Amino acid sequence: MSLWVDKYRPRSLDELNYHRGLSERLKSLAASGDFPHILFYGPSGAGKKTRISCTLRELFGPGVEKLKIDQRVFLTPSKRKIEINLVQSNFHIEITPSEAGNYDRVVIQELLKEIAQTQQVDLGAKQRFKVVIINEADSLSRDAQAALRRTMEKYMSNMRIILCANSTSRLIAPIKSRCLLMRVAAPSDEEMSSVLQSVARKAKFTLPTDAGNKIVDDSGGNMRKAILVLEALKMQSPDLTGPLSIAKPDWEVYCYKVADLIVSEQSPARVMEVRAKFYELLSHCIPPTVILKTVAERVVDKVDEALKADIMHWAAFYEVRMRMGNKKIYHLEAWVVKVMSLSKHFFYNIDMSDFD
């Protein structure tokens, strides 16, 4: 039994409910004889991977959906073995090189060279090239991006690369210049409501307008989250009437507790307590940028208006530092200390003004 987000996922470009102009453009590219390298970028849950899979079907037909999961072992220059999971069909291969950490260059070089040097063996294929999908392209190291750039130039004749990223800011200019950029924006509230109603019809039930609006408001433009919440609420309350409570994920509740700790007391002991909770979140594979964003938004809701701009400024500053560095905990902790310092200074000035 599959989740609704997979069960009712559109399989062709014609079935996509929003960004019709983008779908038409992808159809014309697939029909043309000159399909380029493409970079899909946009926020999480906007539908990038769904559009990629629909584009592959447009290129190669239904055979692209016959997938198998494979595991490849790569050997680093220091003779260390790295295991990477691959999802592939006869026509394409999907990889996430960032799983290899600092050794992602090895994965890019070896795998792409191997794929590019093998010809398309399916005689019934509409296209003579294979497609390589690279997930989390914005998490690739500089060395991996440089290796990818050289591969894109050398093997264009029998390989196309589709990159999937949340942002283009961390990709080097030579890669962006060799790709056709496709921005998949977050759907609007009306588009999300339309998709939820479509899912409800396929699942053979009626979605009340109030319940749909509540799900849309909670999802914040994330279509995947909205469908998951819809299915969860349907399991809890089959008629979807009355007061509906949308449960927050455990990690989000935990982040809120961390934010409350930061606001309630500013001391070295509290910094150490918060640091331990950050370690707990990181050990459960919550991305550090997500932790920082969630905690910062909660802190901003709790503090005085005069502090909000500074807190978000330093959150953005330390997010950039965190993306550039390796030890994420240092930058999270530095932001906490900065916020506590700002709060202490602010309340000290207020207290001193009582003596004026």
Side-chain angles (χ1 to χ4, degrees), residues 214-215 217-220 225 229 232-233 236 245-256 294 297-298 301:
K214 188 168 185 178
I215 293 170
D217 291 340
D218 180 75
S219 301
K225 181 181 178 183
V229 168
L233 289 177
Q236 293 172 12
S245 60
I246 299 175
K248 296 284 185 187
D250 290 345
W251 66 266
E252 199 169 327
V253 174
Y254 202 77
C255 284
Y256 289 168
T294 309
E297 287 175 349
R298 177 74 167 188
D301 288 340

Side-chain angles (χ1 to χ4, degrees), residues 150-161:
R150 291 191 293 272
T151 307
M152 291 169 81
E153 292 173 345
K154 191 172 182 181
Y155 300 113
M156 179 72 178
S157 59
N158 59 341
M159 183 177 69
R160 299 292 187 276
I161 291 174

Side-chain angles (χ1 to χ4, degrees), residues 105-332:
R105 177 183 60 84
V106 177
V107 177
I108 290 287
Q109 282 181 325
E110 292 190 19
L111 191 63
L112 295 193
K113 186 186 291 185
E114 178 187 317
I115 294 166
Q117 289 174 348
T118 59
Q119 295 292 326
Q120 176 65 266
V121 294
D122 195 320
L123 298 177
K126 297 179 182 178
Q127 309 289 345
R128 303 315 304 164
F129 56 81
K130 275 194 169 186
V131 172
V132 179
I133 301 168
I134 300 179
N135 294 320
E136 298 177 15
D138 48 344
S139 297
L140 291 173
S141 65
R142 287 278 171 156
D143 288 343
Q145 291 188 44
L148 178 60
R149 175 183 68 88
R150 291 191 293 272
T151 307
M152 291 169 81
E153 292 173 345
K154 191 172 182 181
Y155 300 113
M156 179 72 178
S157 59
N158 59 341
M159 183 177 69
R160 299 292 187 276
I161 291 174
I162 295 180
L163 303 174
C164 185
N166 287 344
S167 168
T168 60
S169 60
R170 297 186 66 200
L171 291 168
I172 60 175
I175 284 184
K176 288 186 278 190
S177 68
R178 285 163 175 77
C179 293
L180 176 64
L181 271 61
M182 291 280 187
R183 180 173 179 266
V184 184
S188 65
D189 289 353
E190 293 77 16
E191 289 168 338
M192 290 186 75
S193 297
S194 172
V195 173
L196 290 177
Q197 291 291 350
S198 173
V199 170
R201 283 194 298 273
K202 290 174 182 175
K204 296 179 180 163
F205 71 92
T206 302
L207 175 63
T209 305
D210 292 344
N213 292 339
K214 188 168 185 178
I215 293 170
V216 169
D217 291 340
D218 180 75
S219 301
N222 190 324
M223 196 70 250
R224 180 174 56 250
K225 181 181 178 183
I227 297 173
L228 288 169
V229 168
L230 173 64
E231 185 173 9
L233 289 177
K234 177 64 177 170
M235 297 300 113
Q236 293 172 12
S237 173
D239 55 357
L240 291 171
T241 55
L244 297 172
S245 60
I246 299 175
K248 296 284 185 187
D250 290 345
W251 66 266
E252 199 169 327
V253 174
Y254 202 77
C255 284
Y256 289 168
K257 289 180 180 177
V258 172
D260 294 342
L261 288 173
I262 295 169
V263 173
S264 62
E265 182 188 328
Q266 293 81 41
S267 67
R270 183 51 59 92
V271 172
M272 295 305 293
E273 188 180 348
V274 168
R275 185 183 195 188
K277 295 193 179 299
F278 279 149
Y279 266 124
E280 184 75 16
L281 287 163
L282 290 170
S283 68
H284 283 80
C285 300
I286 308 300
T289 51
V290 173
I291 295 171
L292 181 58
K293 178 177 179 288
T294 309
V295 174
E297 287 175 349
R298 177 74 167 188
V299 168
V300 162
D301 288 340
K302 296 273 186 177
V303 298
D304 191 272
E305 195 71 31
L307 285 171
K308 294 184 177 184
D310 282 339
I311 287 172
M312 292 313 290
H313 163 76
W314 287 108
F317 174 82
Y318 283 111
E319 183 183 4
V320 173
R321 295 283 293 271
M322 190 159 53
R323 289 182 185 277
M324 293 168 61
N326 291 323
K327 287 284 188 180
K328 312 301 183 187
I329 189 70
Y330 291 167
H331 307 290
L332 289 170

